Amino acid sequence: MNLSIRKAAVIGSGIMGSQIAAHLAGVGIKTLLLDIVPKTLTEEEAGRGLTLADPAVRNRLAASAIKRLTKIKPAPLYDEAFAERITPGNLEDHLASLGEVDWVIEVVVENLEVKKNLLKQIEQHRKPGTIVSSNTSGISINAMAADCGEEFKKHFLGTHFFNPPRYMKLLEIIPGEKTDSELVRAMKAFCEKVLGKGVVLAKDTPNFIANRIGTYGLLVTLQEMQKNGGYTVEEVDAVTGPAMGRPKSATFRTLDLVGLDTFVHVADNVFQNVTDEQEKAVFDTPDVLKKMTELKWLGEKTGRGFYLKQKGEKGSEILSLNLATMEYVPQQKPKGASLEAAKAAKGTKEKLKTLLSGKDRYSELAWNILKPVLIYSAEKVGEISDSIQEIDEAMRWGFSWDLGPFETWDAIGLARSVERMEAEGLAVPEWVKDWIASGQTSFYKSDEGQLYSIHIGSQQYKQVEQAPEVISLRRLKEQNKVIKGNSGASLIDLGEGVACLEFHSPNNAIGEDILSMLQQSVEEVRKNYLGMVIANQGKNFCVGANIMLLLMEAQDEEWDEIDDIIHMFQSTMYKVKRLEKPVVAAPHRMCLGGGVEACMPADQVIASAETYYGLVEVGVGLIPAGGGCKEFALRASQSLLNAEADLQPYLNQVFETVGMAKVSSSGYDAKRLGYLRSSDRVVANQDHSIYEAKQAVLGLARNGYEPIPEEKIRVAGREGKAILQLGAIGMRQGGYISDHDLLIAKKLAHVLAGGDVPAGTLVTEQYMLDLEREAFLSLCGEPKTQARMQHMLTKGKALRN
């Protein structure tokens, strides 16, 4: 079954409903957003003479929700223009429109009877075969559809999006007893490919997978803290954050972000629906949470929760809640040997082992809150999910853990940790003990690049299935597919005649090692491959060039060295562009400065939807000099339909984008800003981007690829430069930029316009590269530029001097 969902309806325009609609619209699905009809007029509506019968009033809730989408931060829309793909409506006038859609998503209040009544209405208006799903966080799918017909039940399932839907990778799909198994498979594939989600199949149990395990973990943390006493809110967060491979929000900042009322509701859903008394006791809402909800100390939504931000004598400060006195007090930074050692350790596995092997109170706290979560996760295999892999994925994708429970168990040593648990009187599930008794030492193993995990039923390893669209560079390297490499990059064989150039330097910053490997890769691909992909699977694609190296050379006044570095960067990108084989770049997340310049020579860019793309060199007092200015000037020239056409409007836009160091808020926004071309593509699922780039290379090769010929660039010259600089001078006179900003802007204008030549002059690409390099070198000698570079390295943000 191959699904084609072109139109959807979302019922419920609250925070989740409207943002699910935004995500659907973001991937090109036209969406109808419905809500109830208001019972009263607003003052504004009454002032306009409207009545309750007017469509503007009747559709108000949905229409207002769509307007809010453009104001919410972080932005739920990839591009504000995508809001036009959402049509507002109401549940009285537009239910008949459900017969025109392919998918209906119910996102109303978490109340079983309300949902059951709504599903009966949907059943009356949908056409046979229409998919219907509920975005519930824990209510039974089977109970919801109990009163509906067999055909409806066959096409009904749970689709639990995590908040915010655009950014949270996890989507739990929960089939009902009667849901068509082929539909489940098709929906999983559709949601992975089109919506870009990480999908896990959950069983119809209270809170499904991620919220079941995650809520349990948060509650046992709070109970351990209160049981042993003496731990502050900030101490618990110091232990349960990055030191344990968890997000910086850790425990209590997470609760504040989620909202304590929401958390209590989720926890209570398990409490009300499980029968095991021990489990029930854990999910019984602690008194401190009850008191805080009564006081409306619900977290960020009410301005105070476990933390309170207030203005003091020294500016804003964040206070933490003393749970014993229920008063807010200044935070005390936790200090302990195990915390410091874990912070210094490299990688999540080493951090965990280091933290747990300590002998202080923080190490003890970490062990006491980790061990029940591991045991609980093992107890729930078979009940909430059939595989440990889906539990691990749910926690990584839904709660942003670096490692899921079973991956964590492997990391800290399965047999050793179980022995310690039993010595402390804990009951470990029999299947775990049987697995260890059979001689196994981990739940997962890797063999020749293939990943295997325990299959509970057979007590055997079973290969972990991976969609063909998911290419793992790490596993390819385990299969000895590295063609060549050095400390900064590797060329990896993707199969079918395509090679992938992977960056793996610190932060994927571009230095001499990456440039050298790029040059070697061009020669290797020219001789032996059909084409090349430039991609990696680091946290970010590339944060730019190696600023530390540049600053050191500038401070030592090694101008020839800097000139050589920039010349090497430029010549490398020029070789990539002139390669006689197709090159496709696949950036993801942060792709800044030199990272963008590494993508610009490619025949095509296939960007992840979450790509934050920008030439940001002015932030460190420089201008793009790895071919970025040249490529924009070339695009401007190519955009002209005839020699008399005006370059200036295009250049003005580029000058503003680069001069203000604008960074896209998404891959789609990178197109709006002009960083990506019309021929470049955006893919929703970052895990699929290398596969899509490989397919693009093969497609170009099959269609008789011809290398890009060098062409002359028509430039705006001194007249265009004067217009650009005049705009910058106006910004300075208005107080919007500093004198140093103006200096940088003038040099940027000089390069983009092609220097002091007559308007319309045809120049070579090398001429433009020389202009870039000269401007870059002169700025490197400026003390204020060096101060900007130093500030970025030490503070991680731009200095405006």
Side-chain angles (χ1 to χ4, degrees), residues 444-710:
Y444 292 93
K445 73 170 184 176
S446 183
D447 185 14
E448 295 183 352
Q450 297 297 330
L451 183 65
Y452 297 83
S453 69
I454 178 177
H455 180 255
I456 307 301
S458 65
Q459 284 276 303
Q460 298 288 327
Y461 278 119
K462 182 180 179 182
Q463 186 173 335
V464 174
E465 292 183 12
Q466 198 69 273
E469 294 86 359
V470 178
I471 293 175
S472 168
L473 296 181
R474 178 176 59 81
R475 288 183 195 159
L476 287 173
K477 287 190 279 190
E478 289 173 359
Q479 295 170 8
N480 298 316
K481 298 293 184 180
V482 175
I483 302 162
K484 55 178 59 185
N486 61 22
S487 59
S490 296
L491 187 66
I492 302 167
D493 190 344
L494 296 180
E496 299 182 83
V498 180
C500 176
L501 191 282
E502 175 204 29
F503 301 167
H504 46 67
S505 64
N507 295 316
N508 286 341
I510 297 177
E512 187 175 351
D513 48 3
I514 287 180
L515 296 174
S516 173
M517 186 49 55
L518 254 173
Q519 291 190 6
Q520 294 178 54
S521 297
V522 166
E523 295 306 314
E524 180 70 26
V525 170
R526 175 178 285 121
K527 295 174 185 175
N528 299 314
Y529 289 84
L530 294 174
M532 180 169 68
V533 169
I534 299 176
N536 64 71
Q537 292 173 325
K539 181 180 179 182
N540 297 299
F541 178 81
C542 178
V543 297
N546 189 331
I547 302 174
M548 174 69 81
L549 176 62
L550 280 173
L551 178 60
M552 289 170 60
E553 299 289 8
Q555 289 175 334
D556 291 341
E557 298 186 0
E558 296 286 356
W559 310 122
D560 287 343
E561 290 293 330
I562 295 176
D563 188 57
D564 288 344
I565 292 169
I566 302 307
H567 189 273
M568 183 180 186
F569 200 138
Q570 291 179 341
S571 63
T572 301
M573 298 312 151
Y574 187 81
K575 288 179 180 179
V576 171
K577 185 168 186 175
R578 295 287 168 254
L579 177 61
E580 298 88 347
K581 306 289 180 70
V583 177
V584 176
H588 66 277
R589 299 195 67 81
M590 282 202 294
C591 179
L592 305 175
V596 173
E597 291 177 303
C599 295
M600 291 181 94
D603 297 285
Q604 189 176 19
V605 174
I606 295 182
S608 162
E610 297 301 338
T611 299
Y612 317 123
Y613 203 78
L615 291 169
V616 296
E617 284 82 352
V618 297
V620 289
L622 300 166
I623 69 163
C629 293
K630 179 264 292 182
E631 284 297 315
F632 263 133
L634 178 59
R635 291 180 189 182
S637 178
Q638 291 171 335
S639 71
L640 300 180
L641 297 176
N642 56 66
E644 287 74 39
D646 190 4
L647 274 169
Q648 203 65 47
Y650 185 99
L651 278 187
N652 291 346
Q653 179 187 349
V654 171
F655 182 64
E656 179 181 327
T657 298
V658 179
M660 297 182 70
K662 290 185 178 181
V663 176
S664 73
S665 60
S666 70
Y668 296 98
D669 193 45
K671 280 199 169 189
R672 181 187 65 81
L673 289 173
Y675 285 122
L676 297 184
R677 303 156 293 193
S678 59
S679 59
D680 296 328
R681 290 201 295 119
V682 178
V683 295
N685 194 325
Q686 183 178 311
D687 293 341
H688 294 186
S689 59
I690 294 179
Y691 171 86
E692 294 292 345
K694 176 184 173 182
Q695 298 309 307
V697 168
L698 291 172
L700 288 167
R702 277 195 302 267
N703 293 328
Y705 176 77
E706 293 183 6
I708 300 171
E710 183 166 0

Side-chain angles (χ1 to χ4, degrees), residues 710-732:
E710 183 166 0
E711 60 181 287
K712 292 289 183 72
I713 301 171
R714 189 179 300 279
V715 296
R718 65 176 72 94
E719 293 88 346
K721 168 183 168 181
I723 293 170
L724 296 179
Q725 292 187 343
L726 189 61
I729 291 168
M731 292 279 286
R732 178 67 192 101

Side-chain angles (χ1 to χ4, degrees), residues 210-500:
N211 276 347
R212 185 73 168 270
I213 303 294
T215 304
Y216 181 91
L218 287 166
L219 286 169
V220 297
T221 299
L222 187 56
Q223 289 162 9
E224 176 65 23
M225 175 187 182
Q226 292 186 305
K227 181 172 65 179
N228 288 325
Y231 291 108
T232 65
V233 162
E234 57 267 37
E235 283 181 319
V236 172
D237 274 358
V239 171
T240 59
M244 288 183 69
R246 310 282 174 81
K248 288 182 180 179
S249 56
T251 298
F252 294 112
R253 289 189 192 279
T254 295
L255 285 169
D256 279 356
L257 288 167
V258 169
L260 270 66
D261 53 340
T262 301
F263 177 79
V264 167
H265 172 79
V266 172
D268 190 59
N269 187 56
V270 180
F271 179 79
Q272 298 294 341
N273 290 285
V274 297
T275 56
D276 181 271
E277 290 304 320
Q278 267 191 315
E279 184 175 12
K280 209 173 182 71
V282 174
F283 285 93
D284 190 6
T285 304
D287 290 339
V288 66
L289 291 184
K290 290 177 182 176
K291 186 170 184 178
M292 290 176 74
T293 53
E294 287 170 9
L295 293 169
K296 303 297 181 186
W297 296 359
L298 306 179
E300 288 205 352
K301 66 174 77 175
T302 59
R304 63 173 64 202
F306 287 100
Y307 291 95
L308 169 66
K309 186 176 182 179
Q310 68 175 26
K311 289 185 178 179
E313 294 180 0
K314 299 179 180 179
S316 293
E317 63 175 338
I318 298 175
L319 306 178
S320 64
L321 184 64
N322 182 319
L323 299 190
T325 65
M326 295 302 286
E327 295 177 345
Y328 289 98
V329 296
Q331 293 186 66
Q332 300 295 321
K333 187 176 181 180
K335 293 182 179 178
S338 63
L339 279 177
E340 294 304 312
K343 187 177 180 180
K346 300 294 183 183
T348 301
K349 293 181 180 180
E350 289 305 313
K351 287 181 184 296
L352 261 173
K353 287 194 286 189
T354 302
L355 178 63
L356 294 174
S357 64
K359 302 298 181 184
D360 60 17
R361 57 200 297 270
Y362 297 126
S363 181
E364 181 183 8
L365 175 64
W367 173 247
N368 286 343
I369 60 183
L370 179 62
K371 63 186 179 185
V373 174
L374 300 183
I375 290 173
Y376 186 71
S377 300
E379 290 173 344
K380 294 301 149 191
V381 177
E383 179 184 335
I384 63 175
S385 172
D386 284 330
S387 79
I388 66 165
Q389 181 194 356
E390 287 186 310
I391 292 175
D392 281 343
E393 288 173 338
M395 298 317 298
R396 282 193 277 108
W397 297 338
F399 276 73
S400 300
W401 292 8
D402 289 347
L403 300 171
F406 299 98
E407 293 166 326
T408 297
W409 222 330
D410 281 357
I412 65 175
L414 176 56
R416 185 170 61 252
S417 59
V418 166
E419 184 179 344
R420 182 177 175 184
M421 290 171 185
E422 292 193 302
E424 294 172 3
L426 294 174
V428 177
E430 287 300 320
W431 73 263
V432 176
K433 293 193 288 185
D434 291 343
W435 182 245
I436 295 171
S438 71
Q440 305 298 344
T441 58
S442 64
F443 292 118
Y444 292 93
K445 73 170 184 176
S446 183
D447 185 14
E448 295 183 352
Q450 297 297 330
L451 183 65
Y452 297 83
S453 69
I454 178 177
H455 180 255
I456 307 301
S458 65
Q459 284 276 303
Q460 298 288 327
Y461 278 119
K462 182 180 179 182
Q463 186 173 335
V464 174
E465 292 183 12
Q466 198 69 273
E469 294 86 359
V470 178
I471 293 175
S472 168
L473 296 181
R474 178 176 59 81
R475 288 183 195 159
L476 287 173
K477 287 190 279 190
E478 289 173 359
Q479 295 170 8
N480 298 316
K481 298 293 184 180
V482 175
I483 302 162
K484 55 178 59 185
N486 61 22
S487 59
S490 296
L491 187 66
I492 302 167
D493 190 344
L494 296 180
E496 299 182 83
V498 180
C500 176

